[in-house]
Amino acid sequence: GKQQRGEKLTSTAVILQLAYLGFTALFWWRLPDNTARVFERNSLFFFFVIAQSNGVDVNAVSVFGRERTLLYRERPKKMYGVGAYFLAKTISDMSNNVLLPVAYVMIAYWTANFRSGIVPYLQFVLTMYMTISTAQSMGLFLSICVLGSTQRALVLAPPITLFFMIMGGRYIPLQIIHPGIKLVSWGSFARYGYTALLINEYEERDVACATGEVPIQIGDADVCPLPGED
């Protein structure tokens, strides 16, 4: 925490989140809550997961790279263990890496006109907080335990994260992922985050029919209103 004093809420991080907010409002402003806009809602949920998690993951890798020498020098002296460092680092990086992205999605939730109600809203915020925190932890894990070199980690962390994103169920439905790699999807934090966001938005409610629009096709039949469970 002392090492990063003055780096907590950087102007660059704030400007980035404001840019994300403007981008989100431009393309997903007050989406009508009907069957014609279901896929747009789902796309925005996955955009939240991708945009925030990927940036946090890469930032966590680069931050640890600057402190690797310090950790390797102090650890043999038994000043603290890797677990203690990991926890302290996660907490000290929380403002830029987690709190700002969460603040962005808290506002974007209302600009996009997602499900109304305080309970769905709080569950949405909690889901995003956990998803972003997991991405941050994965970046530290890759840097500390798996990839070793900071240079190697900065090169390989983005494609590894992207692979887990593909396994998240948005690009390729989980039902048709190749059996040879389907088990990998259970290790994808994007799968859990995206699934939780969908459940929170649609569970135990119906999505109204869009006037003059072709209803969403579920299976072999046109269903409207669209059951949220489907």
Side-chain angles (χ1 to χ4, degrees), residues 59-89:
N59 188 55
V61 169
S62 61
V63 166
F64 175 70
R66 300 196 300 265
E67 300 180 10
R68 180 186 301 276
T69 303
L70 178 66
L71 175 64
Y72 287 172
R73 185 175 68 243
E74 294 181 346
R75 204 177 145 224
K77 299 177 182 177
K78 300 188 183 300
M79 296 179 68
Y80 49 79
V82 173
Y85 172 84
F86 187 90
L87 181 60
K89 193 66 190 165

PDB file of all heavy atoms in Angstrom, residues 59-89:
ATOM      1  N   ASN A  59      -3.167  -5.394 -16.034  1.00  0.00           N
ATOM      2  CA  ASN A  59      -2.598  -4.443 -15.081  1.00  0.00           C
ATOM      3  C   ASN A  59      -1.998  -5.152 -13.877  1.00  0.00           C
ATOM      4  O   ASN A  59      -0.932  -4.767 -13.382  1.00  0.00           O
ATOM      5  CB  ASN A  59      -3.668  -3.456 -14.627  1.00  0.00           C
ATOM      6  CG  ASN A  59      -3.089  -2.334 -13.784  1.00  0.00           C
ATOM      7  OD1 ASN A  59      -2.178  -1.648 -14.210  1.00  0.00           O
ATOM      8  ND2 ASN A  59      -3.615  -2.159 -12.581  1.00  0.00           N
ATOM      9  N   ALA A  60      -2.664  -6.206 -13.413  1.00  0.00           N
ATOM     10  CA  ALA A  60      -2.145  -6.970 -12.278  1.00  0.00           C
ATOM     11  C   ALA A  60      -0.815  -7.623 -12.621  1.00  0.00           C
ATOM     12  O   ALA A  60       0.100  -7.685 -11.798  1.00  0.00           O
ATOM     13  CB  ALA A  60      -3.161  -8.033 -11.843  1.00  0.00           C
ATOM     14  N   VAL A  61      -0.683  -8.098 -13.853  1.00  0.00           N
ATOM     15  CA  VAL A  61       0.566  -8.711 -14.301  1.00  0.00           C
ATOM     16  C   VAL A  61       1.699  -7.689 -14.297  1.00  0.00           C
ATOM     17  O   VAL A  61       2.791  -7.929 -13.787  1.00  0.00           O
ATOM     18  CB  VAL A  61       0.408  -9.320 -15.713  1.00  0.00           C
ATOM     19  CG1 VAL A  61       1.766  -9.717 -16.284  1.00  0.00           C
ATOM     20  CG2 VAL A  61      -0.506 -10.532 -15.672  1.00  0.00           C
ATOM     21  N   SER A  62       1.439  -6.509 -14.863  1.00  0.00           N
ATOM     22  CA  SER A  62       2.483  -5.493 -14.981  1.00  0.00           C
ATOM     23  C   SER A  62       2.881  -4.925 -13.625  1.00  0.00           C
ATOM     24  O   SER A  62       4.060  -4.634 -13.379  1.00  0.00           O
ATOM     25  CB  SER A  62       2.020  -4.365 -15.908  1.00  0.00           C
ATOM     26  OG  SER A  62       0.865  -3.732 -15.387  1.00  0.00           O
ATOM     27  N   VAL A  63       1.913  -4.759 -12.721  1.00  0.00           N
ATOM     28  CA  VAL A  63       2.216  -4.221 -11.390  1.00  0.00           C
ATOM     29  C   VAL A  63       3.129  -5.165 -10.625  1.00  0.00           C
ATOM     30  O   VAL A  63       4.116  -4.742 -10.002  1.00  0.00           O
ATOM     31  CB  VAL A  63       0.919  -3.972 -10.595  1.00  0.00           C
ATOM     32  CG1 VAL A  63       1.232  -3.749  -9.121  1.00  0.00           C
ATOM     33  CG2 VAL A  63       0.191  -2.762 -11.156  1.00  0.00           C
ATOM     34  N   PHE A  64       2.836  -6.457 -10.675  1.00  0.00           N
ATOM     35  CA  PHE A  64       3.689  -7.402  -9.947  1.00  0.00           C
ATOM     36  C   PHE A  64       5.092  -7.437 -10.532  1.00  0.00           C
ATOM     37  O   PHE A  64       6.068  -7.625  -9.810  1.00  0.00           O
ATOM     38  CB  PHE A  64       3.094  -8.808  -9.960  1.00  0.00           C
ATOM     39  CG  PHE A  64       4.009  -9.824  -9.322  1.00  0.00           C
ATOM     40  CD1 PHE A  64       4.223  -9.814  -7.958  1.00  0.00           C
ATOM     41  CD2 PHE A  64       4.679 -10.754 -10.100  1.00  0.00           C
ATOM     42  CE1 PHE A  64       5.082 -10.725  -7.367  1.00  0.00           C
ATOM     43  CE2 PHE A  64       5.534 -11.665  -9.513  1.00  0.00           C
ATOM     44  CZ  PHE A  64       5.737 -11.653  -8.147  1.00  0.00           C
ATOM     45  N   GLY A  65       5.195  -7.225 -11.853  1.00  0.00           N
ATOM     46  CA  GLY A  65       6.511  -7.238 -12.464  1.00  0.00           C
ATOM     47  C   GLY A  65       7.450  -6.219 -11.849  1.00  0.00           C
ATOM     48  O   GLY A  65       8.661  -6.450 -11.729  1.00  0.00           O
ATOM     49  N   ARG A  66       6.907  -5.088 -11.414  1.00  0.00           N
ATOM     50  CA  ARG A  66       7.732  -4.039 -10.819  1.00  0.00           C
ATOM     51  C   ARG A  66       8.160  -4.403  -9.405  1.00  0.00           C
ATOM     52  O   ARG A  66       9.104  -3.815  -8.874  1.00  0.00           O
ATOM     53  CB  ARG A  66       6.957  -2.707 -10.795  1.00  0.00           C
ATOM     54  CG  ARG A  66       6.544  -2.220 -12.168  1.00  0.00           C
ATOM     55  CD  ARG A  66       6.160  -0.752 -12.105  1.00  0.00           C
ATOM     56  NE  ARG A  66       5.038  -0.494 -11.203  1.00  0.00           N
ATOM     57  CZ  ARG A  66       3.776  -0.419 -11.604  1.00  0.00           C
ATOM     58  NH1 ARG A  66       3.467  -0.619 -12.877  1.00  0.00           N
ATOM     59  NH2 ARG A  66       2.811  -0.169 -10.740  1.00  0.00           N
ATOM     60  N   GLU A  67       7.469  -5.352  -8.781  1.00  0.00           N
ATOM     61  CA  GLU A  67       7.747  -5.660  -7.377  1.00  0.00           C
ATOM     62  C   GLU A  67       8.316  -7.059  -7.176  1.00  0.00           C
ATOM     63  O   GLU A  67       8.533  -7.495  -6.047  1.00  0.00           O
ATOM     64  CB  GLU A  67       6.467  -5.506  -6.553  1.00  0.00           C
ATOM     65  CG  GLU A  67       5.893  -4.100  -6.618  1.00  0.00           C
ATOM     66  CD  GLU A  67       4.631  -3.963  -5.791  1.00  0.00           C
ATOM     67  OE1 GLU A  67       4.323  -4.893  -5.029  1.00  0.00           O
ATOM     68  OE2 GLU A  67       3.962  -2.930  -5.912  1.00  0.00           O
ATOM     69  N   ARG A  68       8.571  -7.761  -8.279  1.00  0.00           N
ATOM     70  CA  ARG A  68       9.063  -9.137  -8.186  1.00  0.00           C
ATOM     71  C   ARG A  68      10.380  -9.211  -7.386  1.00  0.00           C
ATOM     72  O   ARG A  68      10.548 -10.065  -6.511  1.00  0.00           O
ATOM     73  CB  ARG A  68       9.269  -9.698  -9.589  1.00  0.00           C
ATOM     74  CG  ARG A  68       9.775 -11.129  -9.614  1.00  0.00           C
ATOM     75  CD  ARG A  68      10.091 -11.540 -11.041  1.00  0.00           C
ATOM     76  NE  ARG A  68       8.912 -11.423 -11.880  1.00  0.00           N
ATOM     77  CZ  ARG A  68       7.979 -12.368 -11.977  1.00  0.00           C
ATOM     78  NH1 ARG A  68       8.102 -13.479 -11.266  1.00  0.00           N
ATOM     79  NH2 ARG A  68       6.943 -12.203 -12.765  1.00  0.00           N
ATOM     80  N   THR A  69      11.313  -8.305  -7.691  1.00  0.00           N
ATOM     81  CA  THR A  69      12.618  -8.328  -7.022  1.00  0.00           C
ATOM     82  C   THR A  69      12.461  -8.143  -5.517  1.00  0.00           C
ATOM     83  O   THR A  69      13.110  -8.832  -4.708  1.00  0.00           O
ATOM     84  CB  THR A  69      13.526  -7.223  -7.585  1.00  0.00           C
ATOM     85  OG1 THR A  69      13.647  -7.402  -9.002  1.00  0.00           O
ATOM     86  CG2 THR A  69      14.899  -7.290  -6.948  1.00  0.00           C
ATOM     87  N   LEU A  70      11.571  -7.211  -5.130  1.00  0.00           N
ATOM     88  CA  LEU A  70      11.338  -6.969  -3.704  1.00  0.00           C
ATOM     89  C   LEU A  70      10.786  -8.213  -3.024  1.00  0.00           C
ATOM     90  O   LEU A  70      11.229  -8.592  -1.928  1.00  0.00           O
ATOM     91  CB  LEU A  70      10.372  -5.801  -3.529  1.00  0.00           C
ATOM     92  CG  LEU A  70       9.988  -5.444  -2.090  1.00  0.00           C
ATOM     93  CD1 LEU A  70      11.205  -4.930  -1.335  1.00  0.00           C
ATOM     94  CD2 LEU A  70       8.868  -4.406  -2.079  1.00  0.00           C
ATOM     95  N   LEU A  71       9.821  -8.870  -3.669  1.00  0.00           N
ATOM     96  CA  LEU A  71       9.228 -10.075  -3.085  1.00  0.00           C
ATOM     97  C   LEU A  71      10.273 -11.172  -2.939  1.00  0.00           C
ATOM     98  O   LEU A  71      10.357 -11.824  -1.888  1.00  0.00           O
ATOM     99  CB  LEU A  71       8.070 -10.566  -3.963  1.00  0.00           C
ATOM    100  CG  LEU A  71       7.419 -11.883  -3.550  1.00  0.00           C
ATOM    101  CD1 LEU A  71       6.760 -11.751  -2.185  1.00  0.00           C
ATOM    102  CD2 LEU A  71       6.401 -12.341  -4.587  1.00  0.00           C
ATOM    103  N   TYR A  72      11.099 -11.382  -3.960  1.00  0.00           N
ATOM    104  CA  TYR A  72      12.103 -12.443  -3.908  1.00  0.00           C
ATOM    105  C   TYR A  72      13.188 -12.151  -2.865  1.00  0.00           C
ATOM    106  O   TYR A  72      13.795 -13.071  -2.324  1.00  0.00           O
ATOM    107  CB  TYR A  72      12.746 -12.614  -5.285  1.00  0.00           C
ATOM    108  CG  TYR A  72      11.841 -13.284  -6.293  1.00  0.00           C
ATOM    109  CD1 TYR A  72      12.213 -13.368  -7.637  1.00  0.00           C
ATOM    110  CD2 TYR A  72      10.625 -13.840  -5.917  1.00  0.00           C
ATOM    111  CE1 TYR A  72      11.386 -13.973  -8.567  1.00  0.00           C
ATOM    112  CE2 TYR A  72       9.799 -14.445  -6.830  1.00  0.00           C
ATOM    113  CZ  TYR A  72      10.180 -14.518  -8.166  1.00  0.00           C
ATOM    114  OH  TYR A  72       9.365 -15.121  -9.075  1.00  0.00           O
ATOM    115  N   ARG A  73      13.417 -10.861  -2.582  1.00  0.00           N
ATOM    116  CA  ARG A  73      14.429 -10.502  -1.587  1.00  0.00           C
ATOM    117  C   ARG A  73      13.896 -10.677  -0.168  1.00  0.00           C
ATOM    118  O   ARG A  73      14.622 -11.119   0.725  1.00  0.00           O
ATOM    119  CB  ARG A  73      14.877  -9.055  -1.810  1.00  0.00           C
ATOM    120  CG  ARG A  73      16.023  -8.645  -0.883  1.00  0.00           C
ATOM    121  CD  ARG A  73      16.552  -7.258  -1.187  1.00  0.00           C
ATOM    122  NE  ARG A  73      15.570  -6.222  -0.871  1.00  0.00           N
ATOM    123  CZ  ARG A  73      15.039  -5.404  -1.774  1.00  0.00           C
ATOM    124  NH1 ARG A  73      15.363  -5.516  -3.049  1.00  0.00           N
ATOM    125  NH2 ARG A  73      14.161  -4.482  -1.406  1.00  0.00           N
ATOM    126  N   GLU A  74      12.626 -10.326   0.045  1.00  0.00           N
ATOM    127  CA  GLU A  74      12.082 -10.331   1.394  1.00  0.00           C
ATOM    128  C   GLU A  74      11.525 -11.688   1.815  1.00  0.00           C
ATOM    129  O   GLU A  74      11.479 -12.002   3.001  1.00  0.00           O
ATOM    130  CB  GLU A  74      10.993  -9.258   1.516  1.00  0.00           C
ATOM    131  CG  GLU A  74      11.543  -7.847   1.371  1.00  0.00           C
ATOM    132  CD  GLU A  74      10.472  -6.781   1.514  1.00  0.00           C
ATOM    133  OE1 GLU A  74       9.274  -7.140   1.464  1.00  0.00           O
ATOM    134  OE2 GLU A  74      10.818  -5.591   1.671  1.00  0.00           O
ATOM    135  N   ARG A  75      11.096 -12.478   0.836  1.00  0.00           N
ATOM    136  CA  ARG A  75      10.487 -13.762   1.190  1.00  0.00           C
ATOM    137  C   ARG A  75      11.468 -14.715   1.867  1.00  0.00           C
ATOM    138  O   ARG A  75      11.120 -15.363   2.860  1.00  0.00           O
ATOM    139  CB  ARG A  75       9.906 -14.400  -0.073  1.00  0.00           C
ATOM    140  CG  ARG A  75       8.802 -15.377   0.259  1.00  0.00           C
ATOM    141  CD  ARG A  75       8.161 -15.961  -0.966  1.00  0.00           C
ATOM    142  NE  ARG A  75       7.796 -17.337  -0.710  1.00  0.00           N
ATOM    143  CZ  ARG A  75       8.000 -18.328  -1.555  1.00  0.00           C
ATOM    144  NH1 ARG A  75       8.558 -18.095  -2.711  1.00  0.00           N
ATOM    145  NH2 ARG A  75       7.629 -19.544  -1.245  1.00  0.00           N
ATOM    146  N   PRO A  76      12.721 -14.857   1.367  1.00  0.00           N
ATOM    147  CA  PRO A  76      13.657 -15.761   2.059  1.00  0.00           C
ATOM    148  C   PRO A  76      13.955 -15.336   3.487  1.00  0.00           C
ATOM    149  O   PRO A  76      14.357 -16.157   4.318  1.00  0.00           O
ATOM    150  CB  PRO A  76      14.918 -15.674   1.185  1.00  0.00           C
ATOM    151  CG  PRO A  76      14.433 -15.257  -0.159  1.00  0.00           C
ATOM    152  CD  PRO A  76      13.296 -14.322   0.124  1.00  0.00           C
ATOM    153  N   LYS A  77      13.758 -14.063   3.780  1.00  0.00           N
ATOM    154  CA  LYS A  77      13.987 -13.573   5.147  1.00  0.00           C
ATOM    155  C   LYS A  77      12.788 -13.840   6.053  1.00  0.00           C
ATOM    156  O   LYS A  77      12.785 -13.427   7.219  1.00  0.00           O
ATOM    157  CB  LYS A  77      14.274 -12.072   5.120  1.00  0.00           C
ATOM    158  CG  LYS A  77      15.520 -11.701   4.331  1.00  0.00           C
ATOM    159  CD  LYS A  77      15.695 -10.189   4.276  1.00  0.00           C
ATOM    160  CE  LYS A  77      16.910  -9.808   3.446  1.00  0.00           C
ATOM    161  NZ  LYS A  77      17.073  -8.342   3.323  1.00  0.00           N
ATOM    162  N   LYS A  78      11.791 -14.514   5.476  1.00  0.00           N
ATOM    163  CA  LYS A  78      10.574 -14.890   6.204  1.00  0.00           C
ATOM    164  C   LYS A  78       9.827 -13.673   6.753  1.00  0.00           C
ATOM    165  O   LYS A  78       9.236 -13.709   7.839  1.00  0.00           O
ATOM    166  CB  LYS A  78      10.889 -15.870   7.337  1.00  0.00           C
ATOM    167  CG  LYS A  78      11.534 -17.162   6.854  1.00  0.00           C
ATOM    168  CD  LYS A  78      11.665 -18.173   7.958  1.00  0.00           C
ATOM    169  CE  LYS A  78      12.371 -19.428   7.454  1.00  0.00           C
ATOM    170  NZ  LYS A  78      11.669 -20.096   6.346  1.00  0.00           N
ATOM    171  N   MET A  79       9.860 -12.572   6.001  1.00  0.00           N
ATOM    172  CA  MET A  79       9.119 -11.377   6.397  1.00  0.00           C
ATOM    173  C   MET A  79       7.627 -11.573   6.156  1.00  0.00           C
ATOM    174  O   MET A  79       6.797 -11.049   6.887  1.00  0.00           O
ATOM    175  CB  MET A  79       9.635 -10.159   5.628  1.00  0.00           C
ATOM    176  CG  MET A  79      11.090  -9.831   5.943  1.00  0.00           C
ATOM    177  SD  MET A  79      11.721  -8.418   5.013  1.00  0.00           S
ATOM    178  CE  MET A  79      10.769  -7.086   5.754  1.00  0.00           C
ATOM    179  N   TYR A  80       7.270 -12.321   5.125  1.00  0.00           N
ATOM    180  CA  TYR A  80       5.879 -12.675   4.824  1.00  0.00           C
ATOM    181  C   TYR A  80       5.886 -13.759   3.760  1.00  0.00           C
ATOM    182  O   TYR A  80       6.888 -13.978   3.070  1.00  0.00           O
ATOM    183  CB  TYR A  80       5.080 -11.454   4.341  1.00  0.00           C
ATOM    184  CG  TYR A  80       5.758 -10.654   3.247  1.00  0.00           C
ATOM    185  CD1 TYR A  80       5.735 -11.071   1.923  1.00  0.00           C
ATOM    186  CD2 TYR A  80       6.418  -9.469   3.555  1.00  0.00           C
ATOM    187  CE1 TYR A  80       6.360 -10.336   0.931  1.00  0.00           C
ATOM    188  CE2 TYR A  80       7.049  -8.728   2.574  1.00  0.00           C
ATOM    189  CZ  TYR A  80       7.014  -9.167   1.250  1.00  0.00           C
ATOM    190  OH  TYR A  80       7.636  -8.439   0.273  1.00  0.00           O
ATOM    191  N   GLY A  81       4.770 -14.456   3.650  1.00  0.00           N
ATOM    192  CA  GLY A  81       4.643 -15.499   2.655  1.00  0.00           C
ATOM    193  C   GLY A  81       3.953 -14.989   1.396  1.00  0.00           C
ATOM    194  O   GLY A  81       3.467 -13.855   1.344  1.00  0.00           O
ATOM    195  N   VAL A  82       3.897 -15.837   0.375  1.00  0.00           N
ATOM    196  CA  VAL A  82       3.253 -15.463  -0.878  1.00  0.00           C
ATOM    197  C   VAL A  82       1.772 -15.194  -0.662  1.00  0.00           C
ATOM    198  O   VAL A  82       1.201 -14.268  -1.249  1.00  0.00           O
ATOM    199  CB  VAL A  82       3.437 -16.571  -1.940  1.00  0.00           C
ATOM    200  CG1 VAL A  82       2.617 -16.260  -3.189  1.00  0.00           C
ATOM    201  CG2 VAL A  82       4.898 -16.695  -2.318  1.00  0.00           C
ATOM    202  N   GLY A  83       1.139 -15.980   0.211  1.00  0.00           N
ATOM    203  CA  GLY A  83      -0.283 -15.790   0.481  1.00  0.00           C
ATOM    204  C   GLY A  83      -0.578 -14.423   1.064  1.00  0.00           C
ATOM    205  O   GLY A  83      -1.524 -13.741   0.658  1.00  0.00           O
ATOM    206  N   ALA A  84       0.257 -14.012   2.021  1.00  0.00           N
ATOM    207  CA  ALA A  84       0.078 -12.693   2.631  1.00  0.00           C
ATOM    208  C   ALA A  84       0.310 -11.586   1.611  1.00  0.00           C
ATOM    209  O   ALA A  84      -0.421 -10.586   1.569  1.00  0.00           O
ATOM    210  CB  ALA A  84       1.037 -12.532   3.807  1.00  0.00           C
ATOM    211  N   TYR A  85       1.330 -11.756   0.759  1.00  0.00           N
ATOM    212  CA  TYR A  85       1.599 -10.757  -0.281  1.00  0.00           C
ATOM    213  C   TYR A  85       0.433 -10.677  -1.255  1.00  0.00           C
ATOM    214  O   TYR A  85      -0.011  -9.589  -1.632  1.00  0.00           O
ATOM    215  CB  TYR A  85       2.881 -11.121  -1.035  1.00  0.00           C
ATOM    216  CG  TYR A  85       3.110 -10.247  -2.242  1.00  0.00           C
ATOM    217  CD1 TYR A  85       3.730  -9.012  -2.128  1.00  0.00           C
ATOM    218  CD2 TYR A  85       2.676 -10.650  -3.506  1.00  0.00           C
ATOM    219  CE1 TYR A  85       3.922  -8.190  -3.233  1.00  0.00           C
ATOM    220  CE2 TYR A  85       2.855  -9.844  -4.615  1.00  0.00           C
ATOM    221  CZ  TYR A  85       3.484  -8.617  -4.477  1.00  0.00           C
ATOM    222  OH  TYR A  85       3.654  -7.816  -5.569  1.00  0.00           O
ATOM    223  N   PHE A  86      -0.055 -11.845  -1.661  1.00  0.00           N
ATOM    224  CA  PHE A  86      -1.153 -11.921  -2.621  1.00  0.00           C
ATOM    225  C   PHE A  86      -2.382 -11.170  -2.092  1.00  0.00           C
ATOM    226  O   PHE A  86      -3.000 -10.371  -2.806  1.00  0.00           O
ATOM    227  CB  PHE A  86      -1.491 -13.388  -2.876  1.00  0.00           C
ATOM    228  CG  PHE A  86      -2.497 -13.625  -3.967  1.00  0.00           C
ATOM    229  CD1 PHE A  86      -2.086 -13.804  -5.276  1.00  0.00           C
ATOM    230  CD2 PHE A  86      -3.851 -13.686  -3.683  1.00  0.00           C
ATOM    231  CE1 PHE A  86      -3.004 -14.026  -6.281  1.00  0.00           C
ATOM    232  CE2 PHE A  86      -4.777 -13.907  -4.681  1.00  0.00           C
ATOM    233  CZ  PHE A  86      -4.342 -14.085  -5.991  1.00  0.00           C
ATOM    234  N   LEU A  87      -2.724 -11.418  -0.833  1.00  0.00           N
ATOM    235  CA  LEU A  87      -3.889 -10.766  -0.227  1.00  0.00           C
ATOM    236  C   LEU A  87      -3.674  -9.262  -0.092  1.00  0.00           C
ATOM    237  O   LEU A  87      -4.561  -8.460  -0.434  1.00  0.00           O
ATOM    238  CB  LEU A  87      -4.168 -11.385   1.147  1.00  0.00           C
ATOM    239  CG  LEU A  87      -5.379 -10.839   1.903  1.00  0.00           C
ATOM    240  CD1 LEU A  87      -6.651 -11.059   1.106  1.00  0.00           C
ATOM    241  CD2 LEU A  87      -5.501 -11.497   3.275  1.00  0.00           C
ATOM    242  N   ALA A  88      -2.498  -8.856   0.387  1.00  0.00           N
ATOM    243  CA  ALA A  88      -2.218  -7.432   0.559  1.00  0.00           C
ATOM    244  C   ALA A  88      -2.212  -6.709  -0.778  1.00  0.00           C
ATOM    245  O   ALA A  88      -2.704  -5.577  -0.897  1.00  0.00           O
ATOM    246  CB  ALA A  88      -0.872  -7.252   1.264  1.00  0.00           C
ATOM    247  N   LYS A  89      -1.647  -7.362  -1.795  1.00  0.00           N
ATOM    248  CA  LYS A  89      -1.584  -6.744  -3.114  1.00  0.00           C
ATOM    249  C   LYS A  89      -2.982  -6.572  -3.699  1.00  0.00           C
ATOM    250  O   LYS A  89      -3.298  -5.538  -4.307  1.00  0.00           O
ATOM    251  CB  LYS A  89      -0.741  -7.622  -4.044  1.00  0.00           C
ATOM    252  CG  LYS A  89      -0.334  -6.943  -5.332  1.00  0.00           C
ATOM    253  CD  LYS A  89       0.611  -5.811  -5.018  1.00  0.00           C
ATOM    254  CE  LYS A  89       0.833  -4.970  -6.261  1.00  0.00           C
ATOM    255  NZ  LYS A  89       1.434  -3.681  -5.918  1.00  0.00           N
TER     256      LYS A  89
END
